[in-house]
Amino acid sequence: MGVYIGNVELKGTWVLGDKSGSFDIEQPLDNDGYDALVTALNLGLGDVMEQIKSKVEAP
């Protein structure tokens, strides 16, 4: 979700097998407009995936 203060906010929970977690990430927009929103969402989703990866690979 893009917000008026110039950030994308990604919040949610995930479940993968017997592992689960939540995420709450804010990614700033570099510019105004839809392209900047999509770029920020992409970067934020990359962070979400890294968080999930670290939890799934942990013993």
Side-chain angles (χ1 to χ4, degrees), residues 26-43:
E26 287 189 22
Q27 180 70 38
L29 296 169
D30 289 335
N31 295 302
D32 292 335
Y34 186 75
D35 288 341
L37 176 66
V38 171
T39 298
L41 282 169
N42 186 45
L43 292 171

Side-chain angles (χ1 to χ4, degrees), residues 9-20:
E9 295 181 356
L10 298 117
K11 297 178 184 182
T13 59
W14 60 271
V15 176
L16 185 60
D18 62 345
K19 306 232 176 172
S20 63

